[in-house]
Amino acid sequence: MSSTQRNSQSTAGPGLGRIASVDIVRGLIMVIMAIDHCRDFFSNLPFEPEDLAHTYYALFFTRWITHFCAPLFFFLAGTGVFFYGQRHTPAELSRFLWTRGFWLVVLEFTVVGTSWTFLFPWGFFGVIWALGASMILMALFVRLPVRWLATLSVLVIATHDLFDRVSPRQFGSVAWLWKIVHVRGGILLPFHIRQFVLFPLVPLVGVMAAGYCFGTLYLLDEPRRRKLLWQLGLGMIAAFCLLRVTNIYGNPAVAMGGVSQGSAYSSQE
């Protein structure tokens, strides 16, 4: 293949091939996530790595950096959905999303959950469940105009923490549903099934929707796209660091001294 052909392929729209930069970022996310998982599996810490009263720099960093992982997984999954939609009809895209999402949820509560907990079936509400459930909702959202969806996704991401003061007890017998949507911790499902919600659905479904809208940037010409990507990337990283340094937004439980998964489980029931 000539250099001209390679250059034309690298700048072509998403319908003509994979986007190398997106795949590279996905790979980096997995590497970063592996650091956190190794720390989790091969250590026996009695405190959270972000607990400033007990942690040290290297340990803090192995956990702090993973705050990029789940959001980018969901964000780039949404971008991949946009690329897929450029090669298929809206009906085909919606069918792909709800069927793929359904099977991810099934896998979470069987194969994946059992691998983590050695309990069958059920497992827990982890990242695979949240990805699958978000895809199912995206099967509906992709029918909206992109501008509407972009506005909705930003509102969900920016304002979801305003609902932290809403207590699940206010929902009575369906309190478990509010916990699945918004609250991390232990829940009691119907038929006395105990579960742990590690990844609530909100705001992650909004992050996936934002990634879908982000995919439209790849329809722009390369110089303009590169400029926008640099501006957005640097701006969002700066905003993330500012929020975490001030602790205005992030891990309120950790800021109060650390909460383990077990204590969170009992406190939410």
Side-chain angles (χ1 to χ4, degrees):
M1 181 183 293
S2 67
S3 60
T4 302
Q5 289 174 314
R6 286 194 297 269
N7 291 335
S8 64
Q9 186 178 34
S10 64
T11 59
L16 300 180
R18 302 186 67 91
I19 306 299
S21 58
V22 172
D23 288 337
I24 290 172
V25 173
R26 283 172 173 162
L28 288 174
I29 295 170
M30 290 187 225
V31 172
I32 295 171
M33 183 182 63
I35 295 173
D36 181 58
H37 283 190
C38 288
R39 187 269 312 160
D40 191 32
F41 275 109
F42 296 104
S43 66
N44 188 24
L45 298 174
F47 57 87
E48 295 286 348
E50 307 102 314
D51 186 353
L52 298 180
H54 300 92
T55 193
Y56 48 91
Y57 288 115
L59 179 64
F60 178 88
F61 184 74
T62 63
R63 180 58 183 162
W64 179 86
I65 196 172
T66 58
H67 286 289
F68 287 101
C69 292
L72 275 172
F73 268 130
F74 283 79
F75 188 86
L76 293 180
T79 305
V81 169
F82 179 82
F83 293 167
Y84 186 91
Q86 296 302 295
R87 305 188 299 270
H88 297 82
T89 66
E92 291 172 335
L93 176 60
S94 292
R95 185 178 185 280
F96 169 80
L97 285 168
W98 78 259
T99 53
R100 178 67 62 89
F102 171 79
W103 282 114
L104 285 176
V105 173
V106 170
L107 286 172
E108 177 71 279
F109 293 104
T110 52
V111 177
V112 177
T114 301
S115 299
W116 276 95
T117 65
F118 299 100
L119 299 174
F120 183 84
W122 309 127
F124 59 95
F125 288 81
V127 66
I128 304 300
W129 119 265
L131 279 168
S134 296
M135 285 184 175
I136 293 173
L137 291 176
M138 284 295 295
L140 299 174
F141 294 161
V142 294
R143 300 302 186 102
L144 296 174
V146 173
R147 289 187 178 182
W148 293 11
L149 186 57
T151 302
L152 178 62
S153 64
V154 171
L155 285 174
V156 169
I157 295 169
T159 66
H160 74 98
D161 58 314
L162 298 178
F163 294 91
D164 289 348
R165 298 180 182 274
V166 178
S167 171
R169 294 186 179 90
Q170 296 177 227
F171 295 89
S173 60
V174 294
W176 57 271
L177 184 59
W178 177 247
K179 292 179 179 180
I180 290 174
V181 171
H182 190 69
V183 181
R184 178 182 178 183
I187 61 173
L188 183 63
L189 295 172
F191 307 106
H192 300 285
I193 299 172
R194 296 180 182 274
Q195 278 290 319
F196 187 86
V197 180
L198 187 59
F199 285 88
L201 192 54
V202 173
L204 292 173
V205 64
V207 175
M208 184 177 289
Y212 176 87
C213 299
F214 171 80
T216 60
L217 294 182
Y218 284 87
L219 301 180
L220 302 176
D221 59 275
E222 185 179 9
R224 185 182 178 192
R225 182 176 72 243
R226 283 182 176 274
K227 181 179 179 180
L228 285 172
L229 289 176
W230 274 107
Q231 292 173 342
L232 286 171
L234 293 175
M236 295 303 293
I237 291 173
F240 168 75
C241 293
L242 178 64
L243 288 173
R244 297 305 297 126
V245 166
T246 59
N247 208 36
I248 296 174
Y249 178 94
N251 286 355
V254 173
M256 293 185 291
V259 177
S260 67
Q261 178 167 313
S263 62
Y265 191 105
S266 60
S267 67
Q268 292 295 331
E269 293 182 344

